[in-house]
Amino acid sequence: MNDLNEPALSDTNQTLTTDGAPPHRELTERIAYASEPFQKIVSQVNQVLVGQSHLVDRMLIGLLTGGHLLIEGVPGLAKTTAVASLAKAINTGFQRLQFTPDLLPADLIGTQVYRPQDQTFVVQKGPIFSNLILADEINRAPAKVQSALLEAMQEHQVTIGGETFALPEPFLVMATQNPVEQEGTYALPEAQTDRFMLKVVVDYPTRDEELQILRRMGKTAAKTEVQSVASPEQILAAREVIDEIHVDQKVEEYIVDLVMATRCPEAYGLPLEGLIQFGGSPRATINLTLAARAAAFLAGRAYVLPADVRSIALDVLRHRVMVTYEAEAEELSSAAIVQQILDHIPVP
């Protein structure tokens, strides 16, 4: 078994071309060039945020792959601030939508408006027609509004009055939800949560980070402006580079085994019988591969390591594994089950 920090056994980075140069060198140089704007984004966001490096990394992975993010955490952990800061660091469209119980689908996607002067209906587009969408407290909106997001998130288009409209690219939804307060909230349906590439759980800061927050933000005028340092074109160009990042066959099989183990744990010798109601779908396999490619891109590599897969697997799978009542009785969460799978499946 290889060390997690080493390339897979058949990694082609170890061979040389006819001129003696590594075959990944040209791609590595392109990755270094394409990743510069994202390093600047991190620098800008860190001027506002203290800690939360895990959240910032996951937001970049979502941006690089076009995968939507579900961000969960108690109030006051800078979830909204993180997404707003990311949007400001990119010279692109941004809409913050505060989800409430009285929100209607038309408030999100738009509607047809009657014009009496010429007796016609015209389409008035809603705030969903932007590049970055912050769906704040998404679980406060009723099912109709949550369902209105499905077509937009999956197809990057919406239908208004029988007419279909494409959404601008890049298009990314980052939704926040409060896991504690249940009053006036609606659980996200499984079809909705599966559309999110990643579910990121934000925890409290450490003592040192809390002290930094106090010193930076404990003032009446504690505001830091975030500068735009990246463009939509640079994001789309980076996505083309990510598609070229090499995934070794052994790493591909490792990804498939992780997802298959959430469906048939007994086939992999895992003592989880009766604890998993539903496992990850093929969308989980696709998203795990894309996210691992993006992680390799951010690390400046032209190939994916098993460590890239392991580092992102929990956030890709935790919201796709539905546990049974027996698991809840044993106080086993989906995250704990996914962690057991990660610890059990051999790393190539």
Side-chain angles (χ1 to χ4, degrees), residues 254-266 268-272 276 278-280 310 313-314 317 321 334-347:
Y254 179 53
I255 291 171
V256 171
D257 284 339
L258 289 176
V259 177
M260 291 295 294
T262 67
R263 305 176 203 164
C264 308
E266 63 279 357
Y268 292 86
L270 282 155
L272 299 174
I276 299 176
F278 298 107
R310 279 183 62 92
L314 182 59
L317 296 174
V321 174
S334 59
I337 288 175
V338 172
Q339 190 59 56
Q340 284 191 37
I341 292 172
L342 286 171
D343 293 339
H344 182 82
I345 301 297
V347 179

PDB file of all heavy atoms in Angstrom, residues 254-266 268-272 276 278-280 310 313-314 317 321 334-347:
ATOM      1  N   TYR A 254     -10.656   3.163  -6.676  1.00  0.00           N
ATOM      2  CA  TYR A 254     -10.791   3.553  -5.270  1.00  0.00           C
ATOM      3  C   TYR A 254     -12.045   4.416  -5.067  1.00  0.00           C
ATOM      4  O   TYR A 254     -12.812   4.216  -4.114  1.00  0.00           O
ATOM      5  CB  TYR A 254      -9.538   4.314  -4.837  1.00  0.00           C
ATOM      6  CG  TYR A 254      -9.537   4.811  -3.404  1.00  0.00           C
ATOM      7  CD1 TYR A 254      -9.783   3.948  -2.342  1.00  0.00           C
ATOM      8  CD2 TYR A 254      -9.273   6.149  -3.127  1.00  0.00           C
ATOM      9  CE1 TYR A 254      -9.772   4.400  -1.040  1.00  0.00           C
ATOM     10  CE2 TYR A 254      -9.244   6.616  -1.821  1.00  0.00           C
ATOM     11  CZ  TYR A 254      -9.502   5.741  -0.788  1.00  0.00           C
ATOM     12  OH  TYR A 254      -9.490   6.195   0.508  1.00  0.00           O
ATOM     13  N   ILE A 255     -12.278   5.361  -5.972  1.00  0.00           N
ATOM     14  CA  ILE A 255     -13.463   6.215  -5.900  1.00  0.00           C
ATOM     15  C   ILE A 255     -14.731   5.374  -6.007  1.00  0.00           C
ATOM     16  O   ILE A 255     -15.676   5.537  -5.218  1.00  0.00           O
ATOM     17  CB  ILE A 255     -13.419   7.281  -7.019  1.00  0.00           C
ATOM     18  CG1 ILE A 255     -12.307   8.293  -6.744  1.00  0.00           C
ATOM     19  CG2 ILE A 255     -14.766   7.993  -7.150  1.00  0.00           C
ATOM     20  CD1 ILE A 255     -12.036   9.257  -7.897  1.00  0.00           C
ATOM     21  N   VAL A 256     -14.758   4.460  -6.979  1.00  0.00           N
ATOM     22  CA  VAL A 256     -15.931   3.608  -7.174  1.00  0.00           C
ATOM     23  C   VAL A 256     -16.167   2.731  -5.951  1.00  0.00           C
ATOM     24  O   VAL A 256     -17.313   2.547  -5.504  1.00  0.00           O
ATOM     25  CB  VAL A 256     -15.770   2.749  -8.444  1.00  0.00           C
ATOM     26  CG1 VAL A 256     -16.879   1.702  -8.537  1.00  0.00           C
ATOM     27  CG2 VAL A 256     -15.789   3.635  -9.686  1.00  0.00           C
ATOM     28  N   ASP A 257     -15.103   2.192  -5.367  1.00  0.00           N
ATOM     29  CA  ASP A 257     -15.250   1.344  -4.175  1.00  0.00           C
ATOM     30  C   ASP A 257     -15.833   2.127  -3.003  1.00  0.00           C
ATOM     31  O   ASP A 257     -16.662   1.602  -2.249  1.00  0.00           O
ATOM     32  CB  ASP A 257     -13.896   0.750  -3.773  1.00  0.00           C
ATOM     33  CG  ASP A 257     -13.476  -0.397  -4.682  1.00  0.00           C
ATOM     34  OD1 ASP A 257     -14.364  -0.979  -5.337  1.00  0.00           O
ATOM     35  OD2 ASP A 257     -12.272  -0.702  -4.746  1.00  0.00           O
ATOM     36  N   LEU A 258     -15.405   3.380  -2.826  1.00  0.00           N
ATOM     37  CA  LEU A 258     -15.939   4.193  -1.728  1.00  0.00           C
ATOM     38  C   LEU A 258     -17.435   4.405  -1.879  1.00  0.00           C
ATOM     39  O   LEU A 258     -18.198   4.286  -0.909  1.00  0.00           O
ATOM     40  CB  LEU A 258     -15.227   5.552  -1.682  1.00  0.00           C
ATOM     41  CG  LEU A 258     -13.777   5.560  -1.208  1.00  0.00           C
ATOM     42  CD1 LEU A 258     -13.197   6.972  -1.313  1.00  0.00           C
ATOM     43  CD2 LEU A 258     -13.677   5.073   0.238  1.00  0.00           C
ATOM     44  N   VAL A 259     -17.875   4.702  -3.104  1.00  0.00           N
ATOM     45  CA  VAL A 259     -19.298   4.945  -3.328  1.00  0.00           C
ATOM     46  C   VAL A 259     -20.088   3.640  -3.238  1.00  0.00           C
ATOM     47  O   VAL A 259     -21.167   3.588  -2.630  1.00  0.00           O
ATOM     48  CB  VAL A 259     -19.527   5.623  -4.694  1.00  0.00           C
ATOM     49  CG1 VAL A 259     -21.021   5.804  -4.962  1.00  0.00           C
ATOM     50  CG2 VAL A 259     -18.824   6.977  -4.739  1.00  0.00           C
ATOM     51  N   MET A 260     -19.548   2.565  -3.814  1.00  0.00           N
ATOM     52  CA  MET A 260     -20.235   1.270  -3.754  1.00  0.00           C
ATOM     53  C   MET A 260     -20.382   0.781  -2.321  1.00  0.00           C
ATOM     54  O   MET A 260     -21.374   0.139  -1.979  1.00  0.00           O
ATOM     55  CB  MET A 260     -19.470   0.238  -4.587  1.00  0.00           C
ATOM     56  CG  MET A 260     -19.505   0.464  -6.089  1.00  0.00           C
ATOM     57  SD  MET A 260     -21.157   0.294  -6.794  1.00  0.00           S
ATOM     58  CE  MET A 260     -21.475  -1.451  -6.514  1.00  0.00           C
ATOM     59  N   ALA A 261     -19.409   1.105  -1.487  1.00  0.00           N
ATOM     60  CA  ALA A 261     -19.462   0.681  -0.080  1.00  0.00           C
ATOM     61  C   ALA A 261     -20.592   1.368   0.672  1.00  0.00           C
ATOM     62  O   ALA A 261     -21.053   0.851   1.696  1.00  0.00           O
ATOM     63  CB  ALA A 261     -18.130   0.951   0.602  1.00  0.00           C
ATOM     64  N   THR A 262     -21.053   2.514   0.186  1.00  0.00           N
ATOM     65  CA  THR A 262     -22.197   3.160   0.836  1.00  0.00           C
ATOM     66  C   THR A 262     -23.504   2.464   0.456  1.00  0.00           C
ATOM     67  O   THR A 262     -24.506   2.609   1.159  1.00  0.00           O
ATOM     68  CB  THR A 262     -22.293   4.650   0.438  1.00  0.00           C
ATOM     69  OG1 THR A 262     -22.619   4.773  -0.965  1.00  0.00           O
ATOM     70  CG2 THR A 262     -21.001   5.386   0.721  1.00  0.00           C
ATOM     71  N   ARG A 263     -23.492   1.704  -0.646  1.00  0.00           N
ATOM     72  CA  ARG A 263     -24.703   0.990  -1.073  1.00  0.00           C
ATOM     73  C   ARG A 263     -24.708  -0.455  -0.578  1.00  0.00           C
ATOM     74  O   ARG A 263     -25.738  -0.973  -0.151  1.00  0.00           O
ATOM     75  CB  ARG A 263     -24.801   0.988  -2.601  1.00  0.00           C
ATOM     76  CG  ARG A 263     -24.754   2.347  -3.251  1.00  0.00           C
ATOM     77  CD  ARG A 263     -24.756   2.195  -4.778  1.00  0.00           C
ATOM     78  NE  ARG A 263     -24.188   3.357  -5.453  1.00  0.00           N
ATOM     79  CZ  ARG A 263     -23.797   3.370  -6.711  1.00  0.00           C
ATOM     80  NH1 ARG A 263     -23.919   2.269  -7.441  1.00  0.00           N
ATOM     81  NH2 ARG A 263     -23.284   4.461  -7.256  1.00  0.00           N
ATOM     82  N   CYS A 264     -23.564  -1.119  -0.659  1.00  0.00           N
ATOM     83  CA  CYS A 264     -23.456  -2.541  -0.288  1.00  0.00           C
ATOM     84  C   CYS A 264     -22.285  -2.709   0.681  1.00  0.00           C
ATOM     85  O   CYS A 264     -21.247  -3.289   0.314  1.00  0.00           O
ATOM     86  CB  CYS A 264     -23.250  -3.410  -1.519  1.00  0.00           C
ATOM     87  SG  CYS A 264     -24.465  -3.146  -2.832  1.00  0.00           S
ATOM     88  N   PRO A 265     -22.400  -2.214   1.901  1.00  0.00           N
ATOM     89  CA  PRO A 265     -21.263  -2.283   2.836  1.00  0.00           C
ATOM     90  C   PRO A 265     -20.850  -3.704   3.177  1.00  0.00           C
ATOM     91  O   PRO A 265     -19.667  -3.972   3.411  1.00  0.00           O
ATOM     92  CB  PRO A 265     -21.785  -1.540   4.078  1.00  0.00           C
ATOM     93  CG  PRO A 265     -23.273  -1.583   3.961  1.00  0.00           C
ATOM     94  CD  PRO A 265     -23.575  -1.559   2.504  1.00  0.00           C
ATOM     95  N   GLU A 266     -21.826  -4.634   3.165  1.00  0.00           N
ATOM     96  CA  GLU A 266     -21.494  -6.017   3.508  1.00  0.00           C
ATOM     97  C   GLU A 266     -20.560  -6.638   2.478  1.00  0.00           C
ATOM     98  O   GLU A 266     -19.760  -7.521   2.813  1.00  0.00           O
ATOM     99  CB  GLU A 266     -22.771  -6.860   3.640  1.00  0.00           C
ATOM    100  CG  GLU A 266     -23.609  -6.996   2.382  1.00  0.00           C
ATOM    101  CD  GLU A 266     -24.503  -5.795   2.108  1.00  0.00           C
ATOM    102  OE1 GLU A 266     -24.511  -4.860   2.947  1.00  0.00           O
ATOM    103  OE2 GLU A 266     -25.166  -5.779   1.055  1.00  0.00           O
ATOM    104  N   TYR A 268     -18.058  -5.321   1.256  1.00  0.00           N
ATOM    105  CA  TYR A 268     -16.704  -4.859   1.567  1.00  0.00           C
ATOM    106  C   TYR A 268     -16.301  -5.206   3.008  1.00  0.00           C
ATOM    107  O   TYR A 268     -15.322  -4.677   3.524  1.00  0.00           O
ATOM    108  CB  TYR A 268     -16.600  -3.349   1.351  1.00  0.00           C
ATOM    109  CG  TYR A 268     -16.700  -2.957  -0.104  1.00  0.00           C
ATOM    110  CD1 TYR A 268     -17.941  -2.761  -0.712  1.00  0.00           C
ATOM    111  CD2 TYR A 268     -15.561  -2.799  -0.883  1.00  0.00           C
ATOM    112  CE1 TYR A 268     -18.039  -2.416  -2.051  1.00  0.00           C
ATOM    113  CE2 TYR A 268     -15.645  -2.448  -2.223  1.00  0.00           C
ATOM    114  CZ  TYR A 268     -16.888  -2.263  -2.800  1.00  0.00           C
ATOM    115  OH  TYR A 268     -16.979  -1.921  -4.131  1.00  0.00           O
ATOM    116  N   GLY A 269     -17.090  -6.090   3.634  1.00  0.00           N
ATOM    117  CA  GLY A 269     -16.752  -6.530   4.985  1.00  0.00           C
ATOM    118  C   GLY A 269     -16.998  -5.487   6.052  1.00  0.00           C
ATOM    119  O   GLY A 269     -16.376  -5.544   7.121  1.00  0.00           O
ATOM    120  N   LEU A 270     -17.897  -4.551   5.790  1.00  0.00           N
ATOM    121  CA  LEU A 270     -18.207  -3.506   6.768  1.00  0.00           C
ATOM    122  C   LEU A 270     -19.407  -3.913   7.614  1.00  0.00           C
ATOM    123  O   LEU A 270     -20.445  -4.333   7.082  1.00  0.00           O
ATOM    124  CB  LEU A 270     -18.510  -2.187   6.053  1.00  0.00           C
ATOM    125  CG  LEU A 270     -17.293  -1.409   5.556  1.00  0.00           C
ATOM    126  CD1 LEU A 270     -17.663  -0.513   4.392  1.00  0.00           C
ATOM    127  CD2 LEU A 270     -16.696  -0.588   6.693  1.00  0.00           C
ATOM    128  N   PRO A 271     -19.315  -3.796   8.935  1.00  0.00           N
ATOM    129  CA  PRO A 271     -20.420  -4.193   9.817  1.00  0.00           C
ATOM    130  C   PRO A 271     -21.493  -3.100   9.911  1.00  0.00           C
ATOM    131  O   PRO A 271     -21.774  -2.561  10.988  1.00  0.00           O
ATOM    132  CB  PRO A 271     -19.714  -4.408  11.161  1.00  0.00           C
ATOM    133  CG  PRO A 271     -18.578  -3.427  11.138  1.00  0.00           C
ATOM    134  CD  PRO A 271     -18.135  -3.348   9.702  1.00  0.00           C
ATOM    135  N   LEU A 272     -22.097  -2.777   8.764  1.00  0.00           N
ATOM    136  CA  LEU A 272     -23.072  -1.683   8.727  1.00  0.00           C
ATOM    137  C   LEU A 272     -24.439  -2.154   8.247  1.00  0.00           C
ATOM    138  O   LEU A 272     -25.260  -1.342   7.819  1.00  0.00           O
ATOM    139  CB  LEU A 272     -22.562  -0.564   7.802  1.00  0.00           C
ATOM    140  CG  LEU A 272     -21.248   0.108   8.197  1.00  0.00           C
ATOM    141  CD1 LEU A 272     -20.799   1.077   7.110  1.00  0.00           C
ATOM    142  CD2 LEU A 272     -21.411   0.850   9.516  1.00  0.00           C
ATOM    143  N   ILE A 276     -27.744   1.622   6.809  1.00  0.00           N
ATOM    144  CA  ILE A 276     -27.797   2.533   5.667  1.00  0.00           C
ATOM    145  C   ILE A 276     -29.076   2.282   4.887  1.00  0.00           C
ATOM    146  O   ILE A 276     -29.323   1.158   4.427  1.00  0.00           O
ATOM    147  CB  ILE A 276     -26.573   2.354   4.746  1.00  0.00           C
ATOM    148  CG1 ILE A 276     -25.279   2.664   5.507  1.00  0.00           C
ATOM    149  CG2 ILE A 276     -26.691   3.262   3.525  1.00  0.00           C
ATOM    150  CD1 ILE A 276     -24.020   2.424   4.690  1.00  0.00           C
ATOM    151  N   PHE A 278     -30.131   4.432   2.153  1.00  0.00           N
ATOM    152  CA  PHE A 278     -29.740   4.690   0.767  1.00  0.00           C
ATOM    153  C   PHE A 278     -28.290   5.129   0.737  1.00  0.00           C
ATOM    154  O   PHE A 278     -27.850   5.876   1.610  1.00  0.00           O
ATOM    155  CB  PHE A 278     -30.615   5.783   0.128  1.00  0.00           C
ATOM    156  CG  PHE A 278     -32.073   5.429   0.035  1.00  0.00           C
ATOM    157  CD1 PHE A 278     -32.994   6.030   0.869  1.00  0.00           C
ATOM    158  CD2 PHE A 278     -32.516   4.496  -0.887  1.00  0.00           C
ATOM    159  CE1 PHE A 278     -34.335   5.710   0.800  1.00  0.00           C
ATOM    160  CE2 PHE A 278     -33.856   4.173  -0.970  1.00  0.00           C
ATOM    161  CZ  PHE A 278     -34.776   4.774  -0.127  1.00  0.00           C
ATOM    162  N   GLY A 279     -27.564   4.673  -0.286  1.00  0.00           N
ATOM    163  CA  GLY A 279     -26.170   5.084  -0.451  1.00  0.00           C
ATOM    164  C   GLY A 279     -26.026   6.142  -1.520  1.00  0.00           C
ATOM    165  O   GLY A 279     -27.006   6.715  -2.008  1.00  0.00           O
ATOM    166  N   GLY A 280     -24.793   6.415  -1.898  1.00  0.00           N
ATOM    167  CA  GLY A 280     -24.514   7.429  -2.897  1.00  0.00           C
ATOM    168  C   GLY A 280     -24.903   6.972  -4.301  1.00  0.00           C
ATOM    169  O   GLY A 280     -24.739   5.806  -4.657  1.00  0.00           O
ATOM    170  N   ARG A 310      -9.524  11.185  -0.486  1.00  0.00           N
ATOM    171  CA  ARG A 310      -9.853  11.074   0.940  1.00  0.00           C
ATOM    172  C   ARG A 310     -10.160  12.428   1.555  1.00  0.00           C
ATOM    173  O   ARG A 310     -11.040  12.548   2.415  1.00  0.00           O
ATOM    174  CB  ARG A 310      -8.697  10.416   1.698  1.00  0.00           C
ATOM    175  CG  ARG A 310      -8.659   8.903   1.609  1.00  0.00           C
ATOM    176  CD  ARG A 310      -7.535   8.338   2.447  1.00  0.00           C
ATOM    177  NE  ARG A 310      -7.708   8.643   3.860  1.00  0.00           N
ATOM    178  CZ  ARG A 310      -8.331   7.860   4.733  1.00  0.00           C
ATOM    179  NH1 ARG A 310      -8.872   6.716   4.319  1.00  0.00           N
ATOM    180  NH2 ARG A 310      -8.423   8.192   6.003  1.00  0.00           N
ATOM    181  N   ALA A 313     -13.797  13.330   0.298  1.00  0.00           N
ATOM    182  CA  ALA A 313     -14.856  12.311   0.265  1.00  0.00           C
ATOM    183  C   ALA A 313     -15.954  12.549   1.294  1.00  0.00           C
ATOM    184  O   ALA A 313     -17.140  12.369   0.996  1.00  0.00           O
ATOM    185  CB  ALA A 313     -14.247  10.921   0.458  1.00  0.00           C
ATOM    186  N   LEU A 314     -15.597  12.965   2.499  1.00  0.00           N
ATOM    187  CA  LEU A 314     -16.612  13.157   3.538  1.00  0.00           C
ATOM    188  C   LEU A 314     -17.608  14.236   3.136  1.00  0.00           C
ATOM    189  O   LEU A 314     -18.826  14.064   3.310  1.00  0.00           O
ATOM    190  CB  LEU A 314     -15.931  13.517   4.865  1.00  0.00           C
ATOM    191  CG  LEU A 314     -16.870  13.706   6.071  1.00  0.00           C
ATOM    192  CD1 LEU A 314     -17.663  12.436   6.334  1.00  0.00           C
ATOM    193  CD2 LEU A 314     -16.083  14.107   7.309  1.00  0.00           C
ATOM    194  N   LEU A 317     -19.931  12.851   0.329  1.00  0.00           N
ATOM    195  CA  LEU A 317     -20.803  11.714   0.615  1.00  0.00           C
ATOM    196  C   LEU A 317     -21.724  11.904   1.817  1.00  0.00           C
ATOM    197  O   LEU A 317     -22.759  11.225   1.908  1.00  0.00           O
ATOM    198  CB  LEU A 317     -19.956  10.454   0.834  1.00  0.00           C
ATOM    199  CG  LEU A 317     -19.145   9.965  -0.370  1.00  0.00           C
ATOM    200  CD1 LEU A 317     -18.237   8.798   0.041  1.00  0.00           C
ATOM    201  CD2 LEU A 317     -20.057   9.549  -1.506  1.00  0.00           C
ATOM    202  N   VAL A 321     -25.697   9.806   2.036  1.00  0.00           N
ATOM    203  CA  VAL A 321     -25.924   8.550   2.749  1.00  0.00           C
ATOM    204  C   VAL A 321     -27.074   8.766   3.726  1.00  0.00           C
ATOM    205  O   VAL A 321     -26.969   9.544   4.666  1.00  0.00           O
ATOM    206  CB  VAL A 321     -24.653   8.094   3.489  1.00  0.00           C
ATOM    207  CG1 VAL A 321     -24.948   6.866   4.335  1.00  0.00           C
ATOM    208  CG2 VAL A 321     -23.534   7.803   2.500  1.00  0.00           C
ATOM    209  N   SER A 334     -24.674  10.001   9.418  1.00  0.00           N
ATOM    210  CA  SER A 334     -24.177   9.636   8.089  1.00  0.00           C
ATOM    211  C   SER A 334     -22.688   9.941   7.976  1.00  0.00           C
ATOM    212  O   SER A 334     -21.935   9.186   7.351  1.00  0.00           O
ATOM    213  CB  SER A 334     -24.958  10.376   7.010  1.00  0.00           C
ATOM    214  OG  SER A 334     -24.852  11.775   7.183  1.00  0.00           O
ATOM    215  N   ALA A 335     -22.243  11.032   8.613  1.00  0.00           N
ATOM    216  CA  ALA A 335     -20.822  11.381   8.569  1.00  0.00           C
ATOM    217  C   ALA A 335     -19.980  10.314   9.257  1.00  0.00           C
ATOM    218  O   ALA A 335     -18.893   9.961   8.775  1.00  0.00           O
ATOM    219  CB  ALA A 335     -20.594  12.744   9.225  1.00  0.00           C
ATOM    220  N   ALA A 336     -20.467   9.781  10.379  1.00  0.00           N
ATOM    221  CA  ALA A 336     -19.727   8.739  11.100  1.00  0.00           C
ATOM    222  C   ALA A 336     -19.641   7.460  10.272  1.00  0.00           C
ATOM    223  O   ALA A 336     -18.607   6.775  10.253  1.00  0.00           O
ATOM    224  CB  ALA A 336     -20.397   8.453  12.442  1.00  0.00           C
ATOM    225  N   ILE A 337     -20.715   7.144   9.542  1.00  0.00           N
ATOM    226  CA  ILE A 337     -20.713   5.954   8.690  1.00  0.00           C
ATOM    227  C   ILE A 337     -19.749   6.128   7.527  1.00  0.00           C
ATOM    228  O   ILE A 337     -18.981   5.212   7.185  1.00  0.00           O
ATOM    229  CB  ILE A 337     -22.135   5.653   8.195  1.00  0.00           C
ATOM    230  CG1 ILE A 337     -22.981   5.124   9.364  1.00  0.00           C
ATOM    231  CG2 ILE A 337     -22.124   4.660   7.044  1.00  0.00           C
ATOM    232  CD1 ILE A 337     -24.438   4.892   9.029  1.00  0.00           C
ATOM    233  N   VAL A 338     -19.756   7.302   6.900  1.00  0.00           N
ATOM    234  CA  VAL A 338     -18.822   7.575   5.803  1.00  0.00           C
ATOM    235  C   VAL A 338     -17.383   7.487   6.298  1.00  0.00           C
ATOM    236  O   VAL A 338     -16.509   6.945   5.601  1.00  0.00           O
ATOM    237  CB  VAL A 338     -19.098   8.958   5.177  1.00  0.00           C
ATOM    238  CG1 VAL A 338     -18.003   9.325   4.175  1.00  0.00           C
ATOM    239  CG2 VAL A 338     -20.451   8.978   4.489  1.00  0.00           C
ATOM    240  N   GLN A 339     -17.127   7.982   7.505  1.00  0.00           N
ATOM    241  CA  GLN A 339     -15.777   7.919   8.055  1.00  0.00           C
ATOM    242  C   GLN A 339     -15.342   6.469   8.271  1.00  0.00           C
ATOM    243  O   GLN A 339     -14.178   6.114   8.030  1.00  0.00           O
ATOM    244  CB  GLN A 339     -15.703   8.696   9.373  1.00  0.00           C
ATOM    245  CG  GLN A 339     -14.288   8.897   9.891  1.00  0.00           C
ATOM    246  CD  GLN A 339     -13.408   9.644   8.918  1.00  0.00           C
ATOM    247  OE1 GLN A 339     -13.728  10.748   8.502  1.00  0.00           O
ATOM    248  NE2 GLN A 339     -12.280   9.040   8.540  1.00  0.00           N
ATOM    249  N   GLN A 340     -16.279   5.612   8.715  1.00  0.00           N
ATOM    250  CA  GLN A 340     -15.961   4.185   8.863  1.00  0.00           C
ATOM    251  C   GLN A 340     -15.580   3.575   7.518  1.00  0.00           C
ATOM    252  O   GLN A 340     -14.646   2.773   7.428  1.00  0.00           O
ATOM    253  CB  GLN A 340     -17.169   3.434   9.446  1.00  0.00           C
ATOM    254  CG  GLN A 340     -17.377   3.634  10.934  1.00  0.00           C
ATOM    255  CD  GLN A 340     -18.409   2.659  11.491  1.00  0.00           C
ATOM    256  OE1 GLN A 340     -18.478   1.501  11.074  1.00  0.00           O
ATOM    257  NE2 GLN A 340     -19.205   3.135  12.431  1.00  0.00           N
ATOM    258  N   ILE A 341     -16.303   3.951   6.484  1.00  0.00           N
ATOM    259  CA  ILE A 341     -16.000   3.441   5.139  1.00  0.00           C
ATOM    260  C   ILE A 341     -14.618   3.907   4.693  1.00  0.00           C
ATOM    261  O   ILE A 341     -13.823   3.123   4.156  1.00  0.00           O
ATOM    262  CB  ILE A 341     -17.087   3.895   4.144  1.00  0.00           C
ATOM    263  CG1 ILE A 341     -18.415   3.209   4.472  1.00  0.00           C
ATOM    264  CG2 ILE A 341     -16.671   3.604   2.701  1.00  0.00           C
ATOM    265  CD1 ILE A 341     -19.599   3.731   3.680  1.00  0.00           C
ATOM    266  N   LEU A 342     -14.309   5.173   4.916  1.00  0.00           N
ATOM    267  CA  LEU A 342     -12.999   5.714   4.539  1.00  0.00           C
ATOM    268  C   LEU A 342     -11.865   5.007   5.286  1.00  0.00           C
ATOM    269  O   LEU A 342     -10.793   4.766   4.720  1.00  0.00           O
ATOM    270  CB  LEU A 342     -12.943   7.211   4.830  1.00  0.00           C
ATOM    271  CG  LEU A 342     -13.724   8.119   3.868  1.00  0.00           C
ATOM    272  CD1 LEU A 342     -13.768   9.547   4.410  1.00  0.00           C
ATOM    273  CD2 LEU A 342     -13.089   8.097   2.486  1.00  0.00           C
ATOM    274  N   ASP A 343     -12.104   4.674   6.543  1.00  0.00           N
ATOM    275  CA  ASP A 343     -11.077   4.008   7.342  1.00  0.00           C
ATOM    276  C   ASP A 343     -10.905   2.543   6.950  1.00  0.00           C
ATOM    277  O   ASP A 343      -9.844   1.948   7.197  1.00  0.00           O
ATOM    278  CB  ASP A 343     -11.428   4.099   8.834  1.00  0.00           C
ATOM    279  CG  ASP A 343     -11.363   5.516   9.355  1.00  0.00           C
ATOM    280  OD1 ASP A 343     -10.685   6.353   8.726  1.00  0.00           O
ATOM    281  OD2 ASP A 343     -11.992   5.798  10.410  1.00  0.00           O
ATOM    282  N   HIS A 344     -11.956   1.959   6.331  1.00  0.00           N
ATOM    283  CA  HIS A 344     -11.932   0.519   6.046  1.00  0.00           C
ATOM    284  C   HIS A 344     -11.439   0.199   4.629  1.00  0.00           C
ATOM    285  O   HIS A 344     -10.688  -0.781   4.454  1.00  0.00           O
ATOM    286  CB  HIS A 344     -13.346  -0.057   6.249  1.00  0.00           C
ATOM    287  CG  HIS A 344     -13.417  -1.527   6.022  1.00  0.00           C
ATOM    288  ND1 HIS A 344     -13.066  -2.457   6.976  1.00  0.00           N
ATOM    289  CD2 HIS A 344     -13.815  -2.259   4.924  1.00  0.00           C
ATOM    290  CE1 HIS A 344     -13.233  -3.679   6.499  1.00  0.00           C
ATOM    291  NE2 HIS A 344     -13.690  -3.586   5.247  1.00  0.00           N
ATOM    292  N   ILE A 345     -11.850   0.986   3.643  1.00  0.00           N
ATOM    293  CA  ILE A 345     -11.483   0.680   2.253  1.00  0.00           C
ATOM    294  C   ILE A 345      -9.989   0.901   2.050  1.00  0.00           C
ATOM    295  O   ILE A 345      -9.472   1.985   2.357  1.00  0.00           O
ATOM    296  CB  ILE A 345     -12.286   1.556   1.263  1.00  0.00           C
ATOM    297  CG1 ILE A 345     -13.781   1.329   1.449  1.00  0.00           C
ATOM    298  CG2 ILE A 345     -11.878   1.272  -0.165  1.00  0.00           C
ATOM    299  CD1 ILE A 345     -14.246  -0.067   1.163  1.00  0.00           C
ATOM    300  N   PRO A 346      -9.264  -0.080   1.540  1.00  0.00           N
ATOM    301  CA  PRO A 346      -7.798   0.077   1.360  1.00  0.00           C
ATOM    302  C   PRO A 346      -7.468   1.204   0.383  1.00  0.00           C
ATOM    303  O   PRO A 346      -8.136   1.378  -0.642  1.00  0.00           O
ATOM    304  CB  PRO A 346      -7.379  -1.296   0.791  1.00  0.00           C
ATOM    305  CG  PRO A 346      -8.473  -2.226   1.140  1.00  0.00           C
ATOM    306  CD  PRO A 346      -9.731  -1.418   1.155  1.00  0.00           C
ATOM    307  N   VAL A 347      -6.432   1.944   0.706  1.00  0.00           N
ATOM    308  CA  VAL A 347      -5.970   3.030  -0.148  1.00  0.00           C
ATOM    309  C   VAL A 347      -4.962   2.479  -1.144  1.00  0.00           C
ATOM    310  O   VAL A 347      -4.053   1.753  -0.758  1.00  0.00           O
ATOM    311  CB  VAL A 347      -5.320   4.144   0.698  1.00  0.00           C
ATOM    312  CG1 VAL A 347      -4.824   5.269  -0.209  1.00  0.00           C
ATOM    313  CG2 VAL A 347      -6.312   4.671   1.726  1.00  0.00           C
TER     314      VAL A 347
END
